[in-house]
Amino acid sequence: MPSFIFQSDQLQRLDEAALLGLLKVADERTLLEDWAPLIHELPAVHERFVERFCAYCEAFQLISKFEEMGFLAADGVWLDSFYGQWIVAKMWSLQGQVDRAVDVYRDLLSEAPQVSFRLELEAARIGHKAGAFEFAFQTLSLAAQHAADYGQLQQAARLHARLERTADFPDLPVVRVALMLASAPQLIVPILRVMGFAYGLKLEVFLPDFDNVEQAIYGEQSPLFEFQPQVVILGSNYRCLDWDGSLKQPAAWATEQAQLIQQHWQVLSGKFNCRILQHTFDLPPYDAYGHLAGSLLAGRFRQLHALNSELVKSCPSYASIVDVTVIQARQGTQQWGDDRLWQVARQHPAPAAIPALVSEYIAILRAYGGQTKKVLVLDLDNTLWGGIVGEEGIAGIQVGLESPAAEAFHAFQEVLLQMKQRGVLLTVCSKNNESDAKRPFVEHDGMLLGLDDFVAFKANWESKDVNLQAIADELNLGLDSFVFVDDNPAERQLIREQLPEVTVVELPEEPAKYVATLLAGRWFEALVVSDEDHMRTQTYRQEQGREFARQAAPSLEGYLSGLKMRAQSGAFDLQRLERIAQLIQRTNQFNLTTRRHSLEFLRAMIDAPSYWTRWFSLSDRFGDHGITALVIVKIEGHVWTIDTLLMSCRVIGRGFEDYILNEVVAAALQAGAVRVEGHFVATAKNAQVADFYTDRQFSRNSEGEFSIAPDLYLPVRSVIL
């Protein structure tokens, strides 16, 4: 081969495919003398080249020679480029020096120009080998989130299983899930567990014996009783339905089939007070009646649509619909099912569709586990509109319906407005002059969003991590409830590094894909949408008025007194139950036990004599906060035990918690209780209430339980009326 081909300026003009072709014919001398000194200078070197180059070098047993030549050293030239660093990390691991490899992988992950499943999984594997288990779990979580298909998730699931066997699992909320499917679940379970882990949940999964779902639900000795599921997933498919009955009584068939499923809901809810995730029925790819299957009374398509409609209409508040027809449409019917796999192994859906189905489960489970995000932080230039307003002016930016580019930003704003209307808080974090940044909202006819749609607006030249932290402080919300959207990869990387609690959306270059990318993350999934959600932006804007009043007040006591706060309270009732359930699922900071009681369990408390329940709302001269706190007390004889005491972060610092505790102890005293007990269950988010009881006259015993005799309790003075 001519030697000129290995000159740097020649190689720099080749793409990766050409470089790989040359690499195939390289010998030991060529790898050592020609390739090694140039790798860090080649712009076309990417993942495939890294993999192939390291494989060839291992085959030729050259890695120790590269070490002798200084290429793997801390000051070696390979560390001058990202992919050169990756080669160093791989070679250290191939040499068995996994500790050194982990150090390089740490740097790589912080400098990666884009997300890479291969890099993240590779780093997790080496972390596992090195015993760096925290690093391994962290990088495995990233890999599972970024996996592109079933094959990649399988790889992540296998490593997840190995880590579980050999390392202490991270302290994550545990959710017990019963997977009750009419198909074989074996391929689904490992994907479900690794994706749950990736999004902060430890899932314990129960499987009934095959084709034995009804026995597990109704049997008196069912092992489901021992498992005590918090969530039950019920799923069947069109192949399992009684189609003979559809032909005999087509008018009543869909209703009768739905009633059988509704009985499952009632029995499961009555036995376990669990959340139910109910599949709709998918559609067959073809039908013998062709297009008539959608119009004939007994046609399968028409009957399946009717059955799904019955399930949706009758779905109780303790259940969530998993609309598999939507997932099937996204995947494509041919990718959704595999007739041969069904006939051989009762596998459904096809493996390629499993990640999409499990993603739907995980979105609802995250909402159930209280992991719904609250705040969307938005850049402006090339994010809410096309162009840079500070340079191009109002006339130069693109948003509206006048062109495809403008329409993409219009569509994005349309979705953002819908998110705001359902309770997501919108904020701005932009590097801009504030006056320039606000002009489009006032002057451009194509804008759908207005300044009043945002609860915080930071447009300046401060670093974005500083501004984002300031927004969190203003809203009194944890950074883990924030989602950051910015078209600039450098700004996204900055937030990942400086504020790792914040979720960063990997926005694509094409604005037409912004909507799908944001919504696919399912960060703001909720089990219910309440009246308080619709008013959330207005509520937080009222908070700004309170903050101005606080700054103007001569003292905190004067500020609180000047708010003229009034509280209302009452026992749990059906009218307010959805808001109560939402508070239980979403409140993390001021939550003494973080018990995620199900909606059905809360419903059972309404008339239960063994429970005393109260919701609390708070209003002041600036507006009404709505229901922002609640208490659940379990009554056993003359002992009142506070099972749940929580309060929205919006009203922290008002003395509301003292008003609430005064009410609880007064009610206990009136009921003849001799002792009020409380518990504190520590989580990663509720440290601020660790001393709640000891700061309020309760004594603590050796087992960590708190108690007080209600007649000895001295009510805390409160300015709340």
Side-chain angles (χ1 to χ4, degrees):
M1 182 174 294
S3 60
F4 72 87
I5 197 68
F6 296 106
Q7 294 175 5
S8 176
D9 60 335
Q10 298 280 339
L11 289 176
Q12 287 190 24
R13 291 197 289 269
L14 299 179
D15 61 18
E16 189 174 38
L19 291 175
L20 288 170
L22 289 173
L23 192 59
K24 277 185 180 180
V25 297
D27 56 19
E28 179 178 343
R29 184 203 63 79
T30 304
L31 289 170
L32 282 171
E33 298 178 10
D34 297 331
W35 283 100
L38 300 177
I39 281 176
H40 64 289
E41 299 178 357
L42 303 181
V45 167
H46 295 298
E47 290 187 14
R48 285 193 303 158
F49 184 92
V50 169
E51 191 72 30
R52 199 77 56 82
F53 180 77
C54 290
Y56 288 155
C57 292
E58 184 182 24
F60 284 119
Q61 299 182 345
L62 299 180
I63 297 177
S64 60
K65 294 183 180 180
F66 286 133
E67 183 179 359
E68 293 171 5
M69 297 167 70
F71 288 112
L72 307 187
D75 58 353
V77 293
W78 283 356
L79 295 182
D80 292 343
S81 74
F82 173 79
Y83 289 102
Q85 288 183 66
W86 196 342
I87 290 172
V88 171
K90 286 182 71 69
M91 288 191 173
W92 281 134
S93 62
L94 290 169
Q95 284 286 81
Q97 299 195 44
V98 289
D99 290 333
R100 300 180 76 170
V102 166
D103 289 339
V104 182
Y105 278 118
R106 289 185 195 275
D107 293 337
L108 275 170
L109 289 166
S110 67
E111 299 171 9
Q114 58 189 18
V115 296
S116 167
F117 168 82
R118 181 179 292 181
L119 172 62
E120 291 157 351
L121 186 67
E122 195 175 284
R125 285 171 172 163
I126 300 305
H128 179 222
K129 288 182 180 179
F133 295 129
E134 182 178 356
F135 173 74
F137 277 119
Q138 289 173 348
T139 49
L140 175 60
S141 174
L142 293 173
Q145 290 180 45
H146 299 146
D149 53 36
Y150 176 74
Q152 290 187 347
L153 275 171
Q154 265 192 318
Q155 296 177 57
R158 285 194 288 268
L159 180 57
H160 176 255
R162 291 200 299 273
L163 276 167
E164 274 197 311
R165 291 193 297 268
T166 57
D168 291 335
F169 202 81
D171 185 18
L172 301 177
V174 176
V175 181
R176 297 184 303 278
V177 179
L179 192 58
M180 315 280 275
L181 305 180
S183 54
Q186 282 74 15
L187 297 185
I188 295 176
V189 172
I191 306 302
L192 176 63
R193 297 191 72 246
V194 74
M195 288 185 69
F197 159 73
Y199 289 100
L201 298 172
K202 184 176 183 180
L203 301 182
E204 296 178 356
V205 181
F206 170 88
L207 299 177
D209 293 337
F210 180 71
D211 202 22
N212 207 18
V213 169
E214 290 196 1
Q215 178 61 30
I217 295 173
Y218 294 97
E220 294 183 2
Q221 303 298 321
S222 169
L224 198 57
F225 278 96
E226 183 178 349
F227 183 71
Q228 287 293 307
Q230 296 166 280
V231 177
V232 175
I233 301 175
L234 293 173
S236 187
N237 64 80
Y238 69 89
R239 298 179 180 90
C240 303
L241 290 167
D242 173 23
W243 290 109
D244 290 339
S246 170
L247 294 173
K248 294 173 183 175
Q249 292 183 308
W253 180 83
T255 300
E256 291 172 355
Q257 295 296 312
Q259 287 173 348
L260 294 174
I261 295 169
Q262 291 158 12
Q263 289 176 13
H264 296 348
W265 299 345
Q266 293 163 7
V267 171
L268 287 166
S269 178
K271 288 181 177 180
F272 305 114
N273 291 316
C274 56
R275 187 83 194 169
I276 294 171
L277 276 57
Q278 175 65 56
H279 284 211
T280 57
F281 285 84
D282 53 355
L283 303 176
Y286 305 105
D287 191 87
Y289 281 84
H291 77 282
L292 294 176
S295 57
L296 292 174
L297 183 58
R300 286 203 298 177
F301 291 171
R302 177 171 172 176
Q303 290 283 24
L304 285 167
H305 286 307
L307 173 54
N308 288 339
S309 178
E310 287 285 341
L311 293 176
V312 172
K313 286 189 296 184
S314 62
C315 183
S317 56
Y318 56 81
S320 299
I321 294 294
V322 177
D323 195 341
V324 297
T325 61
V326 173
I327 306 171
Q328 182 182 15
R330 287 198 204 110
Q331 293 294 116
T333 299
Q334 298 300 322
Q335 296 293 319
W336 171 252
D338 186 314
D339 288 337
R340 184 175 181 279
L341 278 177
W342 173 258
Q343 292 155 8
V344 170
R346 287 297 184 262
Q347 174 59 50
H348 187 75
I354 287 175
L357 177 62
V358 172
S359 292
E360 194 73 17
Y361 295 161
I362 295 298
I364 301 172
L365 290 171
R366 281 160 58 192
Y368 175 84
Q371 297 190 0
T372 300
K373 306 297 182 181
K374 299 176 182 179
V375 185
L376 189 58
V377 183
L378 298 158
D379 179 42
L380 296 178
D381 294 328
N382 292 314
T383 301
L384 286 193
W385 55 71
I388 302 173
V389 68
E391 296 179 2
E392 301 166 40
I394 293 295
I397 65 172
Q398 296 177 308
V399 59
L401 300 175
E402 66 273 11
S403 69
E407 190 171 350
F409 293 102
H410 181 275
F412 190 49
Q413 288 197 28
E414 191 171 38
V415 166
L416 294 173
L417 193 58
Q418 293 168 0
M419 295 176 74
K420 174 250 180 180
Q421 290 166 348
R422 54 152 289 193
V424 177
L425 299 174
L426 303 183
T427 68
V428 165
C429 184
S430 172
K431 283 188 175 177
N432 248 312
N433 294 323
E434 184 173 347
S435 58
D436 291 335
K438 289 184 174 180
R439 283 185 63 199
F441 296 97
V442 178
E443 301 178 23
H444 199 292
D445 292 339
M447 293 288 291
L448 294 178
L449 291 168
L451 292 173
D452 287 345
D453 292 317
F454 298 92
V455 297
F457 198 102
K458 299 290 183 186
N460 52 46
W461 298 101
E462 186 65 80
S463 178
K464 289 199 174 183
D465 59 313
V466 174
N467 275 332
L468 206 156
Q469 181 65 66
I471 292 172
D473 293 341
E474 287 178 16
L475 300 180
N476 196 25
L477 291 171
L479 287 169
D480 59 349
S481 63
F482 282 65
V483 175
F484 179 72
V485 177
D486 196 306
D487 69 293
N488 189 331
E491 298 290 3
R492 297 197 297 265
Q493 187 60 32
L494 172 73
I495 298 302
R496 286 193 186 98
E497 292 177 5
Q498 299 301 318
L499 302 174
E501 308 97 320
V502 175
T503 296
V504 178
V505 177
E506 193 62 23
L507 212 59
E509 293 184 6
E510 173 52 63
K513 297 180 179 179
Y514 283 7
V515 170
T517 301
L518 176 61
L519 297 183
R522 307 292 288 274
W523 307 114
F524 300 96
E525 201 75 16
L527 298 180
V528 296
V529 177
S530 65
D531 291 340
E532 281 81 359
D533 291 325
H534 296 306
M535 300 295 293
R536 184 162 287 120
T537 294
Q538 179 181 336
T539 300
Y540 272 86
R541 290 187 68 82
Q542 290 170 354
E543 191 62 30
Q544 294 171 351
R546 296 184 183 97
E547 178 60 20
F548 292 143
R550 187 191 67 79
Q551 294 178 8
S555 66
L556 177 60
E557 186 175 351
Y559 160 66
L560 294 177
S561 178
L563 285 177
K564 302 187 183 305
M565 293 181 286
R566 290 184 174 274
Q568 289 185 307
S569 64
F572 289 4
D573 55 23
L574 292 176
Q575 178 184 350
R576 298 171 178 84
L577 204 59
E578 286 194 351
R579 171 56 180 166
I580 290 166
Q582 187 181 59
L583 268 178
I584 283 180
Q585 297 302 327
R586 298 182 63 174
T587 304
N588 296 303
Q589 295 181 59
F590 201 107
N591 193 334
L592 290 164
T593 54
T594 319
R595 293 186 175 122
R596 308 293 190 189
H597 294 306
S598 69
L599 189 62
E600 189 60 21
F601 186 61
L602 297 171
R603 187 191 307 274
M605 290 181 187
I606 291 176
D607 298 317
S610 58
Y611 284 95
W612 182 88
T613 61
R614 281 295 182 275
W615 55 263
F616 294 85
S617 66
L618 187 67
S619 61
D620 58 30
R621 66 187 178 93
F622 291 99
D624 190 349
H625 289 285
I627 297 176
T628 50
L630 59 89
V631 176
I632 298 171
V633 174
K634 185 169 179 57
I635 303 172
E636 294 178 303
H638 295 291
V639 177
W640 279 36
T641 302
I642 300 174
D643 170 275
T644 297
L645 194 161
L646 60 82
M647 189 172 71
S648 168
C649 57
R650 298 205 309 268
V651 293
I652 290 175
R654 311 280 171 84
F656 198 22
E657 61 271 28
D658 294 317
Y659 175 91
I660 292 168
L661 189 60
N662 289 348
E663 293 287 306
V664 173
V665 178
L669 183 62
Q670 185 176 4
V674 298
R675 189 166 73 253
V676 175
E677 295 182 348
H679 300 275
F680 171 71
V681 179
T683 70
K685 300 179 182 179
N686 69 351
Q688 65 174 291
V689 293
D691 299 324
F692 176 81
Y693 287 116
T694 53
D695 288 346
R696 289 163 178 82
Q697 309 164 48
F698 281 62
S699 59
R700 180 176 182 173
N701 64 21
S702 59
E703 297 178 357
E705 297 171 339
F706 305 90
S707 65
I708 193 171
D711 58 338
L712 298 179
Y713 176 80
L714 299 176
V716 180
R717 180 178 174 274
S718 174
V719 297
I720 299 174
L721 302 177

